[in-house]
Amino acid sequence: MSNKIKKQSLLGKTPQRKKPAASTNKRKATSQTRAAPQPTSSAVSPELPVTKKSRTGLIAAIVVVCTILIIPKPQLLTYEKLGLVTQSVYWPGVFGYGAMLFDSNLQPNADLARNSLYLCQNNKQPETCHKYRVTEQAGFFSALNKLILD
């Protein structure tokens, strides 16, 4: 149980201590590992904005697809009454409100499940409505083609 005596110099200088070899190896190893990630981090950093851009683009594409699926699309209807056959572009409106025929001032009430179309001058007065039989329904591209050509 002896106490170790520290050596002191006369002018207040302390003897230089040798650093353990293990600590220098750690510093060299950390400096080498730090040097290695730097090239990879510069290679990775340009990829991070690309990932964010692709996520933003993916989210925008999902929103556009959902919007296309939710918003009603116009249809080309062929309807007749007393032998008179007519084709019109019918837009069903959003949730049933705002339905319209693009080439008529009349207000349509369509029951496409029963193949009937009611065209009214005033929806509140049923005696102003005329019933038409829907003979054919075409999709969005046919309606778009009709709108462009007419």
Side-chain angles (χ1 to χ4, degrees):
M1 294 230 245
S2 65
N3 291 336
K4 293 186 179 180
I5 299 173
K6 296 181 182 178
K7 295 181 182 179
Q8 292 183 353
S9 66
L10 294 175
L11 296 175
K13 294 181 182 177
T14 58
Q16 294 181 353
R17 296 182 182 169
K18 293 183 180 179
K19 296 179 181 177
S23 65
T24 57
N25 289 340
K26 287 181 183 177
R27 287 182 186 167
K28 289 180 183 178
T30 56
S31 65
Q32 289 174 356
T33 56
R34 286 181 187 166
Q38 288 175 352
T40 58
S41 66
S42 64
V44 172
S45 62
E47 292 176 13
L48 292 176
V50 173
T51 307
K52 290 180 182 179
K53 288 180 183 178
S54 65
R55 283 186 182 173
T56 305
L58 181 65
I59 290 171
I62 289 171
V63 168
V64 168
V65 167
C66 289
T67 304
I68 289 172
L69 293 176
I70 292 172
I71 293 178
K73 292 160 262 329
Q75 298 176 352
L76 181 64
L77 297 180
T78 305
Y79 54 95
E80 68 155 337
K81 182 178 183 177
L82 301 172
L84 180 66
V85 179
T86 309
Q87 273 190 339
S88 294
V89 177
Y90 170 72
W91 189 68
V94 179
F95 302 116
Y97 298 106
M100 64 180 289
L101 287 173
F102 281 98
D103 60 350
S104 175
N105 292 332
L106 300 175
Q107 298 170 353
N109 292 328
D111 188 4
L112 299 177
R114 294 183 181 177
N115 290 332
S116 61
L117 175 68
Y118 296 93
L119 297 178
C120 306
Q121 292 176 356
N122 187 356
N123 279 339
K124 295 179 181 177
Q125 297 176 346
E127 55 273 351
T128 63
C129 296
H130 298 280
K131 182 179 178 179
Y132 292 87
R133 184 173 64 94
V134 176
T135 56
E136 185 180 348
Q137 298 178 28
F140 172 73
F141 294 110
S142 299
L144 189 63
N145 190 21
K146 171 107 171 124
L147 286 174
I148 291 172
L149 293 178
D150 287 345

